Short mmCIF file of all heavy atoms in Angstrom, two decimals:
data_model
loop_
_atom_site.label_atom_id
_atom_site.label_comp_id
_atom_site.label_asym_id
_atom_site.label_seq_id
_atom_site.Cartn_x
_atom_site.Cartn_y
_atom_site.Cartn_z
N TYR Y 214 4.56 11.01 -6.75
CA TYR Y 214 5.46 11.06 -8.02
C TYR Y 214 4.77 11.86 -8.98
O TYR Y 214 3.72 11.82 -9.40
CB TYR Y 214 5.62 9.70 -8.54
CG TYR Y 214 6.51 9.66 -9.80
CD1 TYR Y 214 7.75 10.23 -9.76
CD2 TYR Y 214 6.06 9.05 -10.90
CE1 TYR Y 214 8.51 10.22 -11.01
CE2 TYR Y 214 6.84 9.03 -12.01
CZ TYR Y 214 8.10 9.70 -12.10
OH TYR Y 214 8.76 9.68 -13.21
N ASN Y 222 6.34 14.93 -4.99
CA ASN Y 222 5.75 16.03 -4.12
C ASN Y 222 5.88 15.81 -2.82
O ASN Y 222 5.62 14.64 -2.19
CB ASN Y 222 4.24 15.97 -4.62
CG ASN Y 222 3.93 17.01 -5.73
OD1 ASN Y 222 4.81 17.47 -6.53
ND2 ASN Y 222 2.66 17.36 -5.83
N ASN Y 234 -10.32 22.67 -5.50
CA ASN Y 234 -11.08 23.99 -5.27
C ASN Y 234 -10.06 25.08 -4.77
O ASN Y 234 -10.38 26.16 -4.70
CB ASN Y 234 -12.17 23.82 -4.23
CG ASN Y 234 -13.31 22.93 -4.92
OD1 ASN Y 234 -13.42 22.91 -6.15
ND2 ASN Y 234 -14.20 22.45 -4.07
N VAL Y 246 16.04 17.12 -1.56
CA VAL Y 246 16.76 16.09 -2.07
C VAL Y 246 16.97 14.97 -1.00
O VAL Y 246 17.24 13.83 -1.33
CB VAL Y 246 18.14 16.52 -2.67
CG1 VAL Y 246 18.07 17.34 -3.80
CG2 VAL Y 246 19.02 17.16 -1.50
N SER Y 283 21.12 15.76 -10.77
CA SER Y 283 21.36 16.81 -11.67
C SER Y 283 21.51 18.15 -10.87
O SER Y 283 21.94 19.16 -11.43
CB SER Y 283 20.21 16.94 -12.64
OG SER Y 283 19.15 17.42 -11.98
N ASN Y 306 16.35 27.52 5.31
CA ASN Y 306 17.42 27.79 6.13
C ASN Y 306 17.39 29.15 6.61
O ASN Y 306 16.62 30.02 6.02
CB ASN Y 306 18.88 27.47 5.34
CG ASN Y 306 18.93 26.16 5.01
OD1 ASN Y 306 18.75 25.17 5.80
ND2 ASN Y 306 19.26 25.84 3.76
N TRP Y 311 22.59 29.77 2.26
CA TRP Y 311 23.04 28.60 2.95
C TRP Y 311 22.43 27.29 2.57
O TRP Y 311 21.29 27.25 2.16
CB TRP Y 311 22.71 28.89 4.41
CG TRP Y 311 23.45 29.84 5.18
CD1 TRP Y 311 24.26 30.94 4.61
CD2 TRP Y 311 23.64 30.09 6.65
NE1 TRP Y 311 24.72 31.61 5.59
CE2 TRP Y 311 24.43 31.18 6.72
CE3 TRP Y 311 23.06 29.41 7.69
CZ2 TRP Y 311 24.73 31.71 8.08
CZ3 TRP Y 311 23.32 29.92 8.94
CH2 TRP Y 311 24.11 31.00 9.13
N GLN Y 313 22.17 23.26 4.13
CA GLN Y 313 22.36 22.59 5.43
C GLN Y 313 22.99 21.18 5.23
O GLN Y 313 22.61 20.46 4.37
CB GLN Y 313 20.96 22.56 6.03
CG GLN Y 313 20.91 22.27 7.44
CD GLN Y 313 20.47 20.87 8.03
OE1 GLN Y 313 20.47 20.01 6.99
NE2 GLN Y 313 20.26 20.71 9.19
N GLN Y 343 29.00 10.38 -10.24
CA GLN Y 343 29.65 11.78 -10.17
C GLN Y 343 29.06 12.71 -9.15
O GLN Y 343 29.78 13.39 -8.55
CB GLN Y 343 29.57 12.34 -11.62
CG GLN Y 343 30.36 11.62 -12.58
CD GLN Y 343 30.02 12.02 -14.17
OE1 GLN Y 343 29.38 13.03 -14.30
NE2 GLN Y 343 30.57 11.37 -15.12
N HIS Y 355 36.11 19.90 3.37
CA HIS Y 355 35.59 21.07 4.35
C HIS Y 355 35.56 20.70 5.74
O HIS Y 355 35.27 21.49 6.57
CB HIS Y 355 34.36 21.55 3.81
CG HIS Y 355 34.41 22.38 2.59
ND1 HIS Y 355 34.45 21.76 1.32
CD2 HIS Y 355 34.40 23.72 2.37
CE1 HIS Y 355 34.50 22.65 0.44
NE2 HIS Y 355 34.50 23.87 0.91
N LYS Y 401 36.98 6.88 4.81
CA LYS Y 401 36.85 6.15 6.17
C LYS Y 401 37.52 7.02 7.18
O LYS Y 401 37.04 7.15 8.29
CB LYS Y 401 37.52 4.81 5.98
CG LYS Y 401 36.78 3.86 5.25
CD LYS Y 401 37.52 2.56 5.28
CE LYS Y 401 36.88 1.49 4.42
NZ LYS Y 401 37.55 0.10 4.47
N TYR Y 411 31.91 14.27 17.10
CA TYR Y 411 30.47 14.35 17.45
C TYR Y 411 30.12 13.49 18.65
O TYR Y 411 29.03 13.67 19.24
CB TYR Y 411 29.59 13.95 16.26
CG TYR Y 411 29.56 14.95 15.12
CD1 TYR Y 411 30.32 14.68 14.01
CD2 TYR Y 411 29.05 16.21 15.32
CE1 TYR Y 411 30.34 15.62 12.88
CE2 TYR Y 411 29.03 17.09 14.29
CZ TYR Y 411 29.71 16.90 13.15
OH TYR Y 411 29.74 17.91 12.13
N GLU Y 418 24.37 14.37 26.06
CA GLU Y 418 22.98 14.11 25.95
C GLU Y 418 22.25 15.40 25.41
O GLU Y 418 21.18 15.80 25.98
CB GLU Y 418 22.36 13.64 27.21
CG GLU Y 418 22.87 12.29 27.62
CD GLU Y 418 22.17 11.77 28.95
OE1 GLU Y 418 21.62 12.46 29.63
OE2 GLU Y 418 22.34 10.49 29.12
N VAL Y 427 14.04 23.88 12.24
CA VAL Y 427 14.18 24.23 13.67
C VAL Y 427 15.75 24.54 13.79
O VAL Y 427 16.31 23.63 14.38
CB VAL Y 427 13.57 23.37 14.62
CG1 VAL Y 427 12.03 23.51 14.51
CG2 VAL Y 427 13.89 21.90 14.29
N PHE Y 509 13.37 5.75 10.10
CA PHE Y 509 14.57 6.09 9.24
C PHE Y 509 15.74 5.20 9.78
O PHE Y 509 16.69 4.80 8.98
CB PHE Y 509 15.05 7.49 9.45
CG PHE Y 509 16.38 7.83 8.94
CD1 PHE Y 509 16.52 8.20 7.57
CD2 PHE Y 509 17.53 8.01 9.66
CE1 PHE Y 509 17.85 8.52 7.06
CE2 PHE Y 509 18.75 8.45 9.30
CZ PHE Y 509 18.96 8.62 7.87
N ARG Y 529 11.63 -1.79 21.43
CA ARG Y 529 11.23 -0.44 21.27
C ARG Y 529 11.06 -0.14 19.72
O ARG Y 529 10.20 0.61 19.40
CB ARG Y 529 12.19 0.48 21.86
CG ARG Y 529 12.31 0.32 23.39
CD ARG Y 529 11.21 0.82 24.09
NE ARG Y 529 9.94 -0.07 24.11
CZ ARG Y 529 9.93 -1.25 24.79
NH1 ARG Y 529 10.84 -1.65 25.52
NH2 ARG Y 529 8.88 -1.93 24.70
N TRP Y 578 7.80 11.70 2.84
CA TRP Y 578 8.77 11.24 3.72
C TRP Y 578 8.05 10.15 4.62
O TRP Y 578 8.61 9.13 4.95
CB TRP Y 578 9.50 12.16 4.59
CG TRP Y 578 8.83 12.93 5.59
CD1 TRP Y 578 8.35 14.23 5.31
CD2 TRP Y 578 8.50 12.68 6.87
NE1 TRP Y 578 7.75 14.78 6.45
CE2 TRP Y 578 7.85 13.86 7.43
CE3 TRP Y 578 8.72 11.61 7.77
CZ2 TRP Y 578 7.54 13.86 8.74
CZ3 TRP Y 578 8.46 11.73 9.07
CH2 TRP Y 578 7.75 12.90 9.54
#
Side-chain angles (χ1 to χ4, degrees):
Y214 176 55
N222 263 17
N234 290 336
V246 296
S283 73
N306 297 313
W311 286 14
Q313 203 252 15
Q343 291 170 3
H355 289 78
K401 290 182 182 179
Y411 291 107
E418 299 183 339
V427 285
F509 173 80
R529 300 293 74 75
W578 66 268

